[in-house]
Amino acid sequence: MAGRTPKHSWSVGLEHRQGKPVAWRIFLPVLGPDRKPIAGRRRDVVRLDPRLTQKQVEKVAQQMYLSRLMQVDGPHHTYANLIETLVDYYERAVVGPRPKSAGTAKITRYTIGQISRYLHDKIQGQLSHPSPPDELLPDGLNAEPKMYAHIWNLIDQPLETFDHRQVSEFSDYLCRQLSATSVNMVLRSLKAAMSGAIEQDLIDVNPVRRGAMVPAGTVTAGARQRVDRKRHLTWHELTRFFAVIDGDARLFCQMLYLTGARASQLRALTPAHIDRERGVLSIPSGKTKGHIVLWMPQMEKLLADWTGWSYITTTYTQQVRRVLNELGIDLAQPLHGFRHTLSTVLREHGGLPLDDIARWVGHALPGQGKLVTGAYDHSHMEALKRVAKAIQIPWD
C-alpha cells in the first residue's frame, strides 16, 4: 500500500495488489467525549473505489471526520439533522464507491451551500452570539472542518421539521437570487437527498413535492439580466482588475487571459499538461476538444512553483465577481469574459486574422476540426507563434 497522507486526525492510502490499485482506504479515528482520538483504539477503515482521485478521497475523509466531530458535540448532530443528511447523501451517492457524474457532485455541493445560507439568513436575527461573515458560508464541500463545525453549530434544523412549507419558503428564497432553471436544479438535488433519507428511515414523506418546482419560463427576481452587459473587459479595466485581484484567483485569471481557455478546461489543467521540451501547453478537453498553445515565458514565470489549483471553479467565480463589483465593472460572465477579452485584444490591438485566434482559443476551423486537437504541423505552429507575439500583458 502506498504511503499514507496525514490530514488533521485522519489519513488516506491507496492499496495495491500485484502492482495494481484495488481500493482507497480512509483511516478514521475513534473519538472520545473530549472530541479527541481515544488512545490505543484501532482506527476505522473505509474503502473507496480506486478510480477516485486522491483529492476526491481526501474530501470524503474530511467530511467523514467532520461528521464524527459533530456527532460527539451533541445529540442533535446526527444524520437526522438537515445539513448532515445532505452531506451524508453526498458521501454515499456522489463520491462513494459508485460515484455519479462530476456534474451531479457539483450540484450537490451547491445545494448544500444554498441550504446553509438559507438557514443562516433565517436565524441570523435570533443568534445570541456573532455569526460568521458571509465569506465563510459554505460554497461547497471545500472548507476546513472547524469552519463547517462553527457554521453548522449555529444551525440546528432537525430533519423531520423541514416540511413542504419550509421547502416552499426555500424555493422563494432561491428565486430572489437565481433563475428558474437554477432553482429547479437545486430543488431536484434536494429531492434526491430527501429520497435517500426515506431509504434510511429518517423521514416518511419527501418534503420536496412536484408543486415546489418553478414553472419553466418564469422570470424570477434573481434571473440574470444580460441586457447591455459587457462580454469582455477593456484594456483599462484589465489593468485595474489585475492591480487589485490577488492570491490563487489572480493566477487563475492570468492563465485564463494568456490561454483563452474556458474556466472548466483550465481548472482541469495539471503540471502534466506542460511540455517544456516541445514548448507547448496542452489545454484539456472540455466543452470542445483539447488543443495546444505555446508555452510562453510569461507562463513559465507564473507557474514556476505551481502544483495545482486550490479551489473549485465556483470559488474563483465568486472572488472575481466580488473584485469586479468593487471596481464597478459589469461583466456578465466573470471567468468566461477573459476568453472574449483575449480574442478582442488580439483582433483589435494585434490585428490578427480570426483563423489564428480560433486556433489559440480552441475553436475548430471549417473543415479542419482535427487541426486544433494538438497537431504540430508547420502552419499551425506558425499561427500560434503570431498569436503569442501579439498578446499584451495587462499586469506588472
Side-chain angles (χ1 to χ4, degrees):
M1 187 175 72
R4 299 176 185 174
T5 305
K7 296 285 185 180
H8 305 290
S9 296
W10 50 263
S11 60
V12 303
L14 184 58
E15 179 182 357
H16 291 80
R17 289 180 186 172
Q18 298 179 350
K20 296 182 179 181
V22 294
W24 280 101
R25 298 172 69 185
I26 299 177
F27 301 86
L28 295 166
V30 178
L31 303 178
D34 58 354
R35 300 165 64 96
K36 295 181 179 180
I38 300 176
R41 290 289 298 273
R42 293 178 60 88
R43 294 191 169 198
D44 294 334
V45 180
V46 178
R47 296 167 63 89
L48 297 180
D49 194 310
R51 292 172 295 180
L52 297 176
T53 66
Q54 180 170 329
K55 192 170 184 179
Q56 287 176 314
V57 175
E58 289 181 350
K59 282 186 177 181
V60 176
Q62 175 177 294
Q63 296 148 18
M64 288 184 173
Y65 177 65
L66 170 63
S67 297
R68 293 192 172 209
L69 284 177
M70 298 178 71
Q71 288 170 3
V72 171
D73 190 45
H76 67 275
H77 290 305
T78 66
Y79 287 149
N81 181 276
L82 174 62
I83 298 180
E84 281 223 343
T85 301
L86 298 179
V87 175
D88 178 49
Y89 169 77
Y90 178 87
E91 292 175 356
R92 294 184 299 103
V94 180
V95 195
R98 300 178 63 183
K100 295 185 179 181
S101 66
T104 302
K106 181 178 179 180
I107 293 172
T108 306
R109 290 196 303 265
Y110 186 71
T111 300
I112 295 173
Q114 290 293 344
I115 280 285
S116 299
R117 289 188 179 92
Y118 159 72
L119 294 176
H120 176 269
D121 291 350
K122 183 178 179 181
I123 67 172
Q124 191 169 14
Q126 305 172 15
L127 298 177
S128 59
H129 42 78
S131 62
D134 290 341
E135 58 266 22
L136 291 185
L137 289 177
D139 165 59
L141 299 183
N142 61 339
E144 290 296 324
K146 289 183 179 179
M147 182 188 302
Y148 267 95
H150 175 64
I151 295 171
W152 292 346
N153 279 341
L154 304 178
I155 304 170
D156 182 12
Q157 175 70 57
L159 183 62
E160 65 273 10
T161 64
F162 190 71
D163 55 18
H164 68 278
R165 288 182 293 271
Q166 283 206 47
V167 171
S168 179
E169 183 180 321
F170 177 52
S171 177
D172 293 339
Y173 173 86
L174 294 175
C175 286
R176 292 194 292 271
Q177 53 183 315
L178 301 174
S179 66
T181 302
S182 298
V183 171
N184 289 336
M185 175 189 70
V186 171
L187 293 178
R188 282 192 291 268
S189 176
L190 179 61
K191 184 176 182 180
M194 294 298 100
S195 296
I198 293 176
E199 294 175 359
Q200 298 182 71
D201 295 326
L202 298 177
I203 54 178
D204 298 323
V205 180
N206 195 322
V208 186
R209 301 176 180 178
R210 181 175 300 180
M213 302 298 171
V214 181
T218 301
V219 179
T220 63
R224 183 177 297 173
Q225 304 297 324
R226 297 183 180 274
V227 180
D228 296 330
R229 299 187 73 178
K230 302 172 184 176
R231 297 199 67 188
H232 68 275
L233 297 168
T234 65
W235 187 257
H236 177 62
E237 290 171 338
L238 271 178
T239 54
R240 290 175 60 208
F241 173 79
F242 282 111
V244 176
I245 192 73
D246 57 8
D248 206 43
R250 174 185 171 87
L251 176 60
F252 195 78
C253 292
Q254 288 173 321
M255 289 302 297
L256 281 176
Y257 175 78
L258 289 177
T259 62
R262 294 180 173 86
S264 58
Q265 292 176 300
L266 187 63
R267 180 61 184 79
L269 188 72
T270 66
H273 291 96
I274 302 172
D275 190 341
R276 289 181 171 84
E277 182 178 347
R278 292 185 174 182
V280 296
L281 176 65
S282 298
I283 304 299
S285 61
K287 183 179 179 181
T288 58
K289 294 182 179 180
H291 60 285
I292 64 170
V293 298
L294 288 187
W295 180 245
M296 303 163 59
Q298 295 91 335
M299 296 178 184
E300 182 68 50
K301 181 178 180 181
L302 292 174
L303 301 182
D305 301 321
W306 178 73
T307 57
W309 303 113
S310 304
Y311 305 103
I312 60 176
T313 308
T314 307
T315 303
Y316 293 122
T317 300
Q318 292 178 339
Q319 293 176 0
V320 172
R321 181 177 283 119
R322 183 162 54 246
V323 172
L324 291 173
N325 289 338
E326 291 174 356
L327 296 175
I329 299 174
D330 190 17
L331 190 65
Q333 298 169 302
L335 297 185
H336 197 72
F338 287 97
R339 180 175 170 88
H340 294 285
T341 298
L342 176 63
S343 299
T344 304
V345 170
L346 293 174
R347 182 64 174 167
E348 296 181 355
H349 299 281
L352 294 179
L354 292 177
D355 285 358
D356 286 355
I357 299 174
R359 287 186 176 94
W360 189 269
V361 300
H363 279 161
L365 304 179
Q368 297 178 318
K370 295 182 179 179
L371 189 63
V372 297
T373 60
Y376 294 94
D377 63 283
H378 179 73
S379 62
H380 185 66
M381 294 303 293
E382 288 301 318
L384 296 185
K385 290 178 182 178
R386 289 194 295 271
V387 175
K389 290 181 180 179
I391 295 180
Q392 303 177 50
I393 307 301
W395 59 81
D396 296 331

